[in-house]
Amino acid sequence: MTYQSRYAWSVLFRLFHWAFALSIVTLVVTGLYVNSPWTNTVLEGSRSFPMATMRYLHFLAGFIFASAVAVRLYLWLFGNRQEKFWDSAPITPRNIRNLFSTMAYYTYLTDRHETRLGHNALAGTVYLATIVLTLIQLVSGFYMLYPESVFWQKWGVALFETQQQARFIHHLLMWYFIIFAFFHLYIVIWNDIKSPEGLISSIFCGRKFHRSSS
Amino acid sequence: MTRHLDKSHFEPKLSRRGFIKGCTIAAAALGLSDEMVPRLVEAAASAQKPPVLWLHFQECTGCTEALLRASHPDVGRLILDMISLDYHETVMAPSGNQAEKSFKDTLEKYSGKFICVVEGAVPTKDGGIYCKIGGRTALEIIREAAPKAAAVIAIGTCASYGGVQAASPNPTGAKGAGDVLGMPVVNIPGCPPNPIAFLGTLLHFLTFKRLPELDQIGRPLFAYGRKNHDQCERRAHFDEGRFVEQFGDSNHMKGYCLYKVGCKGPETFANCPAVRFNDVDVWPVSAGHGCVGCTEPNFWDTHSPFYERLPGVKIPGTGGIVHDVDSAGKKILGIAAAAAGIHAAVGIGKRIVKGRGKSDEDV
Ligand code: HEM
Ligand code: HEM
Ligand code: SF4
C-alpha cells in the first residue's frame, strides 16, 4: 500500500472554505446578539453603539458570506475535478453507489470504502443542501437589509411574504448552520482518525494523501 | 368651571380653512410639494363627486370609526365632502329595501365610475354563509360590485389580508378582498389604518386620475414604503443598546427602545411614527407599547407572542408543544452532540473488541 501526496483543493476553494466558515461563526455570534442583545448601555451620552456595531459586523460578515457562496457556485462549474458539481452531487450512478457505501462505512457496518480525492457522496449531498439553504439565508438577509428595494421585496415576498417570516426562517436556518458545523467538525475529525489521508490539513494546504491502486 | 369647547368639532360644514388644511396634510403625506396643494384642492372641491360604495363585511367598524371621528375632524369631513357616499351601512340614512336600492342604483348608474371601498374580510368557507347582508353572502356582494368599480380600495388589515378573522385556524375561511377577487386592489392595512393613508390615496386618484404607486402586496408606497423601525423616535436607543427589559422597569420609564419586549417595528411597513394618530400625535411606541405590526399580512399568527421577538416552533408529533426557537435549537444541538458521542463510543468500543483490526491500510 502506497500513498501519494496529491493536490486536491485549489487556493480559491480553500479561500472559500475559510471565508465561509469564519463568516458563519461571526454571523452566528452577531446574529444572536441582534436577536437578544445581552448588553444594556446604562450610561446615557456614552458612545458605545453596541447594537449598531453588532449589526455592522453582521452585515460585513454577511457580504463575505455572500461572496464565499458566489465563489463556491463558480467552482461548481469551473473548479478542478474534485470541486465540480458532478464529482460529489448524488446524481450520477457512481455517486449514488458511493452515497450508500459511505453510510454503511459511517455506521460501522463495513470498513470498506472507496477512497476519493474529492468529497464522498454523503458529504457532497450535505454540502449541496447547505449551499441551497445558504441561498435562502442570503435572500432573507438581504430582504431584511434592504427592505425598500424592489428587487429584494419581490424575492422576499415570494419566499417569505413578510419581514417577520423572513426573520423567523433566517433564525431557524442559523440553527441549521450551527448543527451542520458541529457534525462537520465531528465527522472531519473522525475521518482523519480513521484514514491516514491528512484530511484536516488538506483544507489548509490543499494536498491530500491518496492511496494509489498500484 | 368653564371648559373651552372647540366649536369646529360640532360644525357640520367644513370650513375653507379646514378644507385646505386637510388637503395640505394629504399632500405632505404623499410627498408632494406645496405647489401641488391647489391642484388637490381643486380636485377635492370638484362638483362631480365620485360615488363611493362602502361595503362592510367581517369587521368591527373600527376603520370607519378611526376615519370619521377619532383624528383630525377635518380629515374625516374632508373625505365625506369630497365623495358622494352612496352606500355605507354605518352612516347612511336609508335602511332595509331603500338601502339595497341605493346599492343597486349606484351599480347601474355609475358602472365603471364609482369607487368601491371594502371594510372587513370575506368568509369563503361553506359558500361564504358566515357573513350575509340582506340575505346575500359577502362573497356574492363583492363579486358583483368590485368588477364594476373604477378602483377597489381595501381599508384595514381584514379587508386587505384577512386580519383577525383569518388568524389560525381561520374557521370561516376568511380572506382579503384582493385574494377573493383575484384582481389588483389598493390595500390600506392597519388596525385601524391611518386616515391620512386613505385620504392620500383618494386625493391622488381624484387629482391624477390614477392610483398611487404600490408595493409588492398592494400598499401605497407613500404610506407603507418604510419600516416603522427606520422612522422611530426611539431608534437612537436601539442603536445605542438601551432597551426596556420589562414593562414598568426604570428603562421603560426613561423611554428606551422596546425591541426586547417584542416591538415589531423592525418588521413592519407603515408611517405611524411620521404621521401618527389622533390630534395628540401618538402611536403605540410613543405611548410605551411595542408595535405589533398590524399592517402586515398574517400578523396575528406570525407576530405573536406580541411580547417576544419571534414566534415559537411546534415540535412535530407532540400534539403542538411549542418551544421558543432557541430552546428548540439548543435541544436539537444537544441531541446531535449525544448522537456524535454514541457514534464515537461505538467506534472506540469496536476497536477495543476487534483490536486495531482492519484499518484503512488493509482494505
Ligand atoms: C476548524 C474547523 C474546520 C475544519 C478543520 C474543516 C475542514 C474541512 C475539510 C477537511 C473539508 C473537506 C471535507 C471533504 O472532503 O468532505 C471541509 C469542507 C467544508 N467545510 Fe469545513 N472545516 C472547518 C470548519 C467549517 C465550518 C465552521 C463550516 C461552516 C459552518 C465549514 C463548512 C464547510 C463546507 C460547506 C465544506 C464543503 C465545501 C464544498 O462545498 O465542497 N467548515 N471542511
Ligand atoms: C449563516 C449565515 C447567517 C446567520 C447564522 C445569521 C443569523 C442572524 C440572526 C440570528 C439574526 C437575528 C434575527 C432575530 O432572531 O431577530 C439575524 C438578523 C439579520 N441578518 Fe443574519 N445571519 C446570516 C446571514 C446573513 C446575511 C448573508 C445577511 C445579509 C447581508 C444577513 C442580514 C441580516 C439582517 C439584515 C438582519 C436583521 C438585523 C436587524 O434588523 O437588526 N444575515 N441574522
Ligand atoms: S421601539 Fe420598536 S420601532 Fe422603535 S427603535 Fe425600538 S424596535 Fe425599533
Side-chain angles (χ1 to χ4, degrees):
Chain A
M1 197 69 47
T2 54
Y3 281 85
Q4 272 178 340
S5 165
R6 282 181 55 188
Y7 195 62
W9 310 122
S10 66
V11 177
L12 194 56
F13 180 90
R14 283 174 275 150
L15 273 175
F16 144 73
H17 180 268
W18 290 112
F20 192 75
L22 296 177
S23 68
I24 286 182
V25 172
T26 316
L27 285 162
V28 168
V29 174
T30 54
L32 281 172
Y33 183 87
V34 169
N35 172 263
S36 111
W38 58 76
T39 62
N40 212 334
T41 312
V42 271
L43 222 59
E44 276 188 47
S46 63
R47 34 149 288 283
S48 48
F49 280 121
M51 185 52 123
T53 312
M54 284 296 192
R55 290 176 78 236
Y56 173 73
L57 292 176
H58 192 82
F59 306 151
L60 196 68
F63 278 97
I64 294 172
F65 178 78
S67 325
V69 175
V71 167
R72 187 61 185 112
L73 295 180
Y74 169 85
L75 289 175
W76 262 351
L77 298 173
F78 306 110
N80 70 24
R81 218 183 128 237
Q82 294 75 253
E83 293 153 10
K84 280 227 171 69
F85 184 75
W86 310 107
D87 192 60
S88 60
I91 43 170
T92 60
R94 163 178 174 270
N95 287 341
I96 292 173
R97 246 180 290 121
N98 182 268
L99 181 65
F100 290 107
S101 65
T102 306
M103 284 183 193
Y105 175 53
Y106 278 8
T107 48
Y108 303 111
L109 296 178
T110 169
D111 274 336
R112 301 195 143 266
H113 64 285
E114 184 189 342
T115 41
R116 286 184 166 203
L117 194 53
H119 307 313
N120 66 54
L122 181 60
T125 308
V126 175
Y127 298 152
L128 175 61
T130 304
I131 295 293
V132 171
L133 294 178
T134 289
L135 296 177
I136 299 176
Q137 188 75 339
L138 281 174
V139 176
S140 58
F142 280 111
Y143 177 43
M144 286 191 282
L145 186 58
Y146 300 118
E148 287 151 39
S149 128
V150 175
F151 177 81
W152 291 112
Q153 255 189 33
K154 281 197 173 131
W155 277 98
V157 168
L159 251 56
F160 315 107
E161 191 163 30
T162 59
Q163 289 276 329
Q164 173 76 354
Q165 278 301 85
R167 207 174 235 265
F168 183 54
I169 291 174
H170 196 79
H171 195 107
L172 283 182
L173 283 176
M174 173 191 72
W175 281 103
Y176 171 80
F177 286 103
I178 293 175
I179 287 159
F180 166 83
F182 173 78
F183 274 127
H184 176 62
L185 285 185
Y186 173 74
I187 213 71
V188 165
I189 294 169
W190 185 88
N191 267 293
D192 203 69
I193 294 171
K194 286 281 274 188
S195 24
E197 285 181 313
L199 180 63
I200 290 181
S201 65
S202 78
I203 205 71
F204 293 94
C205 66
R207 305 189 74 86
K208 250 177 157 180
F209 293 98
H210 194 61
R211 196 175 59 203
S212 49
S213 34
S214 60
Chain B
M1 195 172 84
T2 50
R3 237 172 112 203
H4 173 75
L5 291 176
D6 181 357
K7 262 180 67 196
S8 74
H9 285 264
F10 304 105
E11 208 78 56
K13 287 278 288 175
L14 180 60
S15 66
R16 172 131 188 101
R17 185 183 154 79
F19 191 84
I20 293 181
K21 202 169 134 194
C23 288
T24 311
I25 292 173
L30 283 165
L32 297 174
S33 101
D34 58 358
E35 277 168 30
M36 290 302 295
V37 174
R39 279 195 62 187
L40 295 188
V41 171
E42 194 187 322
S46 152
Q48 289 164 324
K49 296 181 180 179
V52 170
L53 263 189
W54 196 297
L55 305 175
H56 292 257
F57 299 132
Q58 288 181 310
E59 43 87 328
C60 67
T61 319
C63 300
T64 290
E65 285 286 336
L67 199 65
L68 295 186
R69 6 170 152 233
S71 87
H72 305 271
D74 290 340
V75 171
R77 267 185 295 168
L78 175 60
I79 293 170
L80 289 181
D81 234 50
M82 206 158 88
I83 59 177
S84 151
L85 196 53
D86 288 12
Y87 182 89
H88 184 299
E89 281 145 24
T90 313
V91 300
M92 67 185 170
S95 63
N97 287 338
Q98 281 172 308
E100 273 154 47
K101 185 168 177 305
S102 52
F103 176 79
K104 287 225 172 64
D105 288 351
T106 313
L107 275 195
E108 276 163 27
K109 254 197 286 175
Y110 300 107
S111 181
K113 297 201 191 73
F114 70 94
I115 297 172
C116 179
V117 179
V118 185
E119 185 175 340
V122 180
T124 58
K125 209 161 143 192
D126 302 327
I129 56 167
Y130 301 106
C131 177
K132 282 187 170 178
I133 295 147
R136 298 164 72 214
T137 63
L139 208 55
E140 278 172 68
I141 297 172
I142 195 175
R143 285 203 177 130
E144 181 186 356
K148 297 197 182 120
V152 182
I153 302 179
I155 188 162
T157 301
C158 302
S160 303
Y161 311 118
V164 68
Q165 289 75 225
S168 176
N170 194 356
T172 64
K175 285 186 176 162
D179 281 347
V180 168
L181 295 167
M183 60 187 258
V185 162
V186 182
N187 292 326
I188 315 279
C191 196
N194 200 309
I196 309 287
F198 181 72
L199 173 69
T201 306
L202 209 56
L203 265 178
H204 191 286
F205 187 66
L206 297 183
T207 310
F208 305 109
K209 309 287 176 245
R210 59 184 169 79
L211 292 166
E213 214 184 322
L214 306 178
D215 74 358
Q216 298 301 309
I217 49 175
R219 300 178 290 197
L221 280 173
F222 76 83
Y224 301 91
R226 291 195 189 119
K227 290 182 185 180
N228 271 347
H229 185 59
D230 294 336
Q231 317 164 65
C232 176
E233 66 263 33
R234 301 196 183 203
R235 178 56 186 266
H237 292 305
F238 172 85
D239 286 335
E240 184 55 280
R242 292 195 286 255
F243 300 102
V244 174
E245 300 285 347
Q246 235 176 35
F247 284 110
D249 69 5
S250 65
N251 294 350
H252 194 207
M253 289 173 204
K254 286 181 200 144
Y256 289 173
C257 167
L258 298 154
Y259 186 78
K260 285 175 92 169
V261 286
C263 176
K264 301 298 186 301
E267 287 93 357
T268 304
F269 291 91
N271 57 357
C272 309
V275 175
R276 297 168 180 253
F277 287 81
N278 307 335
D279 284 334
V280 287
D281 276 346
V282 289
W283 69 296
V285 166
S286 66
H289 187 284
C291 163
V292 299
C294 68
T295 59
E296 296 290 322
N298 300 326
F299 82 97
W300 288 98
D301 291 334
T302 59
H303 289 205
S304 55
F306 287 144
Y307 302 109
E308 274 158 42
R309 277 248 63 68
L310 297 173
V313 281
K314 279 212 179 74
I315 308 289
T318 55
I321 294 180
V322 180
H323 278 278
D324 87 76
V325 198
D326 287 328
S327 82
K330 278 176 206 153
K331 286 198 179 89
I332 298 170
L333 186 62
I335 296 169
I342 293 167
H343 187 264
V346 170
I348 295 166
K350 207 177 152 202
R351 183 166 287 192
I352 292 170
V353 174
K354 285 201 176 169
R356 181 114 176 83
K358 282 196 261 169
S359 90
D360 217 38
E361 293 100 304
D362 318 307
V363 181

Coordinates of all heavy atoms in Angstrom, one line a residue, chain B residues 173-224:
Chain B
G173 N -62.8 30.6 6.8 CA -62.1 30.7 5.5 C -62.0 32.1 5.1 O -62.1 32.4 3.9
A174 N -61.8 33.1 6.0 CA -61.8 34.5 5.7 C -60.6 34.9 4.9 O -59.5 34.3 5.1 CB -61.8 35.3 7.0
K175 N -60.8 35.7 3.9 CA -59.7 36.2 3.0 C -59.9 37.7 2.8 O -60.9 38.3 3.0 CB -59.8 35.5 1.7 CG -59.4 34.1 1.7 CD -59.4 33.5 0.3 CE -58.8 32.1 0.3 NZ -59.2 31.4 -1.0
G176 N -58.8 38.3 2.3 CA -58.8 39.7 2.0 C -59.5 39.9 0.6 O -59.7 38.9 -0.1
A177 N -59.9 41.1 0.3 CA -60.6 41.4 -0.9 C -59.8 41.0 -2.2 O -60.3 40.4 -3.1 CB -61.0 42.9 -1.0
G178 N -58.5 41.3 -2.2 CA -57.6 41.0 -3.3 C -57.6 39.5 -3.6 O -57.7 39.1 -4.8
D179 N -57.5 38.7 -2.6 CA -57.4 37.3 -2.7 C -58.8 36.7 -3.3 O -58.8 35.8 -4.1 CB -57.2 36.6 -1.4 CG -55.7 36.7 -1.1 OD1 -54.9 37.0 -2.0 OD2 -55.3 36.4 0.1
V180 N -59.9 37.3 -2.8 CA -61.2 36.8 -3.2 C -61.4 37.2 -4.6 O -62.0 36.4 -5.4 CB -62.3 37.4 -2.3 CG1 -63.6 37.2 -2.8 CG2 -62.1 36.8 -0.9
L181 N -61.0 38.4 -5.0 CA -61.4 38.9 -6.3 C -60.4 38.5 -7.4 O -60.7 38.4 -8.6 CB -61.5 40.4 -6.3 CG -62.6 41.0 -5.4 CD1 -62.4 42.5 -5.2 CD2 -63.9 40.7 -6.1
G182 N -59.1 38.2 -7.0 CA -58.1 37.9 -7.9 C -57.8 39.0 -8.9 O -57.5 38.8 -10.0
M183 N -58.1 40.2 -8.4 CA -57.7 41.4 -9.2 C -57.0 42.4 -8.3 O -57.0 42.3 -7.1 CB -59.0 42.0 -9.8 CG -60.0 42.5 -8.7 SD -61.5 43.1 -9.4 CE -61.3 44.8 -9.4
P184 N -56.2 43.4 -9.0 CA -55.5 44.3 -8.2 C -56.4 45.2 -7.3 O -57.4 45.7 -7.8 CB -54.7 45.1 -9.2 CG -55.2 44.8 -10.5 CD -56.0 43.5 -10.4
V185 N -56.0 45.4 -6.1 CA -56.8 46.1 -5.1 C -55.8 47.0 -4.4 O -54.6 46.6 -4.2 CB -57.5 45.1 -4.2 CG1 -57.9 45.8 -2.9 CG2 -58.6 44.4 -4.8
V186 N -56.1 48.2 -4.1 CA -55.3 49.0 -3.2 C -55.5 48.6 -1.8 O -56.6 48.7 -1.3 CB -55.5 50.5 -3.4 CG1 -54.6 51.3 -2.5 CG2 -55.4 50.9 -4.8
N187 N -54.5 48.2 -1.1 CA -54.6 47.8 0.3 C -54.2 49.0 1.2 O -53.1 49.5 1.1 CB -53.8 46.6 0.6 CG -54.4 45.4 -0.1 OD1 -55.6 45.2 -0.3 ND2 -53.5 44.5 -0.5
I188 N -55.1 49.3 2.2 CA -54.7 50.3 3.2 C -54.8 49.6 4.5 O -55.7 49.8 5.3 CB -55.7 51.5 3.2 CG1 -56.0 52.0 1.8 CG2 -55.2 52.6 4.1 CD1 -55.0 52.9 1.2
P189 N -53.8 48.7 4.8 CA -53.9 47.9 6.0 C -53.6 48.7 7.3 O -53.0 49.8 7.2 CB -52.9 46.8 5.8 CG -51.9 47.4 4.9 CD -52.6 48.4 4.1
G190 N -53.9 48.1 8.4 CA -53.7 48.8 9.7 C -54.9 48.4 10.5 O -56.0 48.1 10.0
C191 N -54.7 48.5 11.8 CA -55.8 48.0 12.7 C -56.0 49.0 13.8 O -55.7 48.8 14.9 CB -55.5 46.7 13.3 SG -57.0 45.9 14.0
P192 N -56.6 50.3 13.5 CA -57.1 50.7 12.2 C -56.0 51.4 11.4 O -55.0 51.8 12.0 CB -58.1 51.7 12.6 CG -57.5 52.4 13.8 CD -56.8 51.3 14.6
P193 N -56.2 51.5 10.1 CA -55.2 52.2 9.3 C -55.3 53.7 9.6 O -56.3 54.2 10.1 CB -55.7 52.0 7.9 CG -57.1 51.7 8.0 CD -57.3 51.0 9.3
N194 N -54.2 54.4 9.3 CA -54.2 55.8 9.5 C -55.1 56.5 8.4 O -55.0 56.2 7.2 CB -52.8 56.4 9.4 CG -52.7 57.7 10.0 OD1 -53.4 58.6 9.7 ND2 -51.7 57.8 10.9
P195 N -56.0 57.4 8.9 CA -56.9 58.0 7.9 C -56.2 58.7 6.8 O -56.7 58.8 5.7 CB -57.7 59.0 8.8 CG -57.7 58.5 10.1 CD -56.4 57.7 10.2
I196 N -55.0 59.3 7.1 CA -54.2 60.0 6.1 C -53.9 59.1 4.9 O -53.8 59.6 3.8 CB -52.9 60.6 6.7 CG1 -53.2 61.3 8.0 CG2 -52.2 61.5 5.8 CD1 -53.9 62.7 7.9
A197 N -53.6 57.8 5.2 CA -53.3 56.9 4.1 C -54.4 56.8 3.2 O -54.3 56.8 1.9 CB -52.8 55.6 4.7
F198 N -55.6 56.7 3.7 CA -56.8 56.6 2.9 C -57.1 57.9 2.1 O -57.3 57.9 0.9 CB -58.0 56.2 3.8 CG -59.3 56.1 3.0 CD1 -59.5 55.0 2.2 CD2 -60.3 57.0 3.1 CE1 -60.6 54.8 1.5 CE2 -61.5 56.9 2.4 CZ -61.7 55.8 1.6
L199 N -57.0 59.0 2.9 CA -57.2 60.3 2.3 C -56.2 60.6 1.1 O -56.6 61.0 0.0 CB -57.1 61.4 3.3 CG -57.2 62.9 2.8 CD1 -58.6 63.2 2.3 CD2 -56.8 63.9 3.9
G200 N -55.0 60.3 1.4 CA -54.0 60.5 0.4 C -54.2 59.7 -0.9 O -54.1 60.2 -2.0
T201 N -54.6 58.4 -0.7 CA -54.9 57.6 -1.9 C -56.1 58.1 -2.7 O -56.0 58.2 -3.9 CB -55.3 56.1 -1.4 OG1 -54.2 55.7 -0.5 CG2 -55.4 55.2 -2.5
L202 N -57.1 58.5 -2.0 CA -58.3 59.1 -2.6 C -58.0 60.4 -3.4 O -58.3 60.5 -4.6 CB -59.3 59.4 -1.5 CG -60.8 59.3 -1.9 CD1 -61.1 57.9 -2.5 CD2 -61.6 59.5 -0.6
L203 N -57.2 61.3 -2.7 CA -56.9 62.5 -3.4 C -56.0 62.3 -4.5 O -56.1 63.0 -5.6 CB -56.2 63.5 -2.3 CG -57.1 64.4 -1.6 CD1 -56.4 65.3 -0.7 CD2 -57.8 65.4 -2.7
H204 N -55.1 61.4 -4.4 CA -54.2 61.1 -5.5 C -55.0 60.6 -6.7 O -54.8 61.0 -7.8 CB -53.2 60.0 -5.1 CG -52.1 59.7 -6.0 ND1 -52.3 59.1 -7.2 CD2 -50.8 60.1 -6.0 CE1 -51.1 59.0 -7.9 NE2 -50.2 59.6 -7.1
F205 N -56.0 59.8 -6.4 CA -56.8 59.2 -7.5 C -57.6 60.3 -8.2 O -57.7 60.4 -9.4 CB -57.8 58.2 -6.9 CG -58.6 57.4 -8.0 CD1 -57.9 56.6 -8.9 CD2 -59.9 57.6 -8.0 CE1 -58.7 56.0 -9.9 CE2 -60.7 56.9 -9.0 CZ -60.1 56.1 -9.9
L206 N -58.2 61.2 -7.3 CA -59.0 62.3 -7.9 C -58.2 63.3 -8.6 O -58.6 63.8 -9.7 CB -59.8 63.0 -6.8 CG -60.8 62.1 -6.0 CD1 -61.5 63.0 -4.9 CD2 -61.8 61.5 -6.9
T207 N -57.0 63.6 -8.2 CA -56.2 64.6 -8.8 C -55.5 64.1 -10.1 O -55.5 64.8 -11.1 CB -55.1 65.1 -7.8 OG1 -55.7 65.4 -6.6 CG2 -54.4 66.3 -8.3
F208 N -54.9 62.9 -10.0 CA -54.1 62.5 -11.1 C -54.8 61.4 -11.9 O -54.3 60.9 -12.9 CB -52.8 61.9 -10.6 CG -52.0 62.9 -9.8 CD1 -51.9 62.7 -8.4 CD2 -51.4 64.0 -10.4 CE1 -51.1 63.6 -7.7 CE2 -50.7 64.9 -9.6 CZ -50.6 64.7 -8.3
K209 N -56.0 61.0 -11.5 CA -56.8 60.0 -12.3 C -56.2 58.7 -12.3 O -56.4 57.9 -13.2 CB -57.2 60.5 -13.7 CG -57.7 61.9 -13.8 CD -59.2 61.9 -13.3 CE -59.7 63.3 -13.3 NZ -60.0 63.9 -12.0
R210 N -55.3 58.4 -11.4 CA -54.7 57.1 -11.3 C -54.3 56.8 -9.8 O -54.2 57.8 -9.0 CB -53.5 56.9 -12.2 CG -52.4 57.8 -12.0 CD -51.3 57.6 -13.0 NE -50.3 58.7 -12.9 CZ -49.4 58.8 -12.0 NH1 -49.2 57.8 -11.1 NH2 -48.6 59.8 -11.9
L211 N -54.1 55.6 -9.5 CA -53.8 55.2 -8.2 C -52.4 55.4 -7.8 O -51.5 55.4 -8.8 CB -54.2 53.7 -7.9 CG -55.7 53.4 -8.0 CD1 -56.0 52.0 -8.1 CD2 -56.4 54.0 -6.8
P212 N -52.0 55.7 -6.6 CA -50.6 55.9 -6.2 C -49.8 54.6 -6.5 O -50.4 53.5 -6.6 CB -50.7 56.2 -4.8 CG -52.0 55.7 -4.3 CD -52.9 55.8 -5.4
E213 N -48.5 54.7 -6.5 CA -47.7 53.6 -6.7 C -47.8 52.6 -5.5 O -47.8 53.1 -4.4 CB -46.2 54.1 -6.8 CG -45.4 53.2 -7.8 CD -44.0 53.7 -7.8 OE1 -43.7 54.9 -7.7 OE2 -43.1 52.8 -7.9
L214 N -47.8 51.3 -5.8 CA -48.0 50.3 -4.7 C -46.7 49.5 -4.5 O -45.9 49.4 -5.4 CB -49.2 49.4 -5.1 CG -50.5 50.1 -5.4 CD1 -51.5 49.1 -5.8 CD2 -51.0 50.9 -4.3
D215 N -46.7 48.9 -3.3 CA -45.6 47.9 -3.1 C -46.0 46.5 -3.6 O -47.0 46.4 -4.2 CB -45.1 48.0 -1.6 CG -46.1 47.3 -0.7 OD1 -47.2 46.8 -1.2 OD2 -45.8 47.2 0.5
Q216 N -45.2 45.5 -3.2 CA -45.4 44.2 -3.7 C -46.8 43.6 -3.3 O -47.3 42.6 -3.9 CB -44.3 43.2 -3.4 CG -43.0 43.6 -3.9 CD -43.0 43.7 -5.4 OE1 -43.4 42.8 -6.1 NE2 -42.6 44.8 -6.0
I217 N -47.3 44.1 -2.1 CA -48.5 43.5 -1.7 C -49.6 44.5 -1.6 O -50.5 44.5 -0.8 CB -48.3 42.8 -0.3 CG1 -47.6 43.6 0.7 CG2 -47.6 41.5 -0.5 CD1 -47.5 43.0 2.1
G218 N -49.6 45.4 -2.6 CA -50.7 46.3 -2.9 C -50.8 47.5 -2.0 O -51.9 48.2 -2.0
R219 N -49.8 47.9 -1.2 CA -49.9 49.0 -0.3 C -49.3 50.2 -0.9 O -48.2 50.2 -1.5 CB -49.2 48.7 1.0 CG -49.8 47.6 1.8 CD -49.0 47.3 3.0 NE -47.7 46.8 2.8 CZ -46.9 46.2 3.7 NH1 -47.4 46.0 4.9 NH2 -45.7 45.7 3.4
P220 N -50.0 51.4 -0.8 CA -49.4 52.6 -1.4 C -48.0 52.9 -0.8 O -47.9 53.0 0.4 CB -50.4 53.7 -1.0 CG -51.6 53.0 -0.6 CD -51.3 51.7 -0.2
L221 N -47.0 53.1 -1.6 CA -45.7 53.3 -1.1 C -45.5 54.6 -0.3 O -44.7 54.7 0.6 CB -44.7 53.4 -2.3 CG -44.3 52.0 -2.9 CD1 -43.5 52.2 -4.1 CD2 -43.5 51.2 -1.8
F222 N -46.4 55.6 -0.6 CA -46.2 56.9 0.1 C -46.4 56.7 1.6 O -45.9 57.4 2.5 CB -47.1 58.0 -0.4 CG -48.5 57.9 -0.1 CD1 -49.0 58.4 1.1 CD2 -49.4 57.3 -1.0 CE1 -50.4 58.3 1.5 CE2 -50.8 57.2 -0.6 CZ -51.2 57.7 0.6
A223 N -47.3 55.7 2.0 CA -47.6 55.4 3.4 C -46.9 54.2 3.9 O -46.7 54.1 5.1 CB -49.1 55.3 3.6
Y224 N -46.6 53.2 3.1 CA -46.1 51.9 3.5 C -44.8 51.6 2.9 O -44.4 50.4 2.7 CB -47.1 50.8 3.2 CG -48.5 51.0 3.9 CD1 -49.5 51.7 3.2 CD2 -48.8 50.6 5.2 CE1 -50.7 51.9 3.8 CE2 -50.0 50.8 5.7 CZ -51.0 51.5 5.0 OH -52.2 51.7 5.6

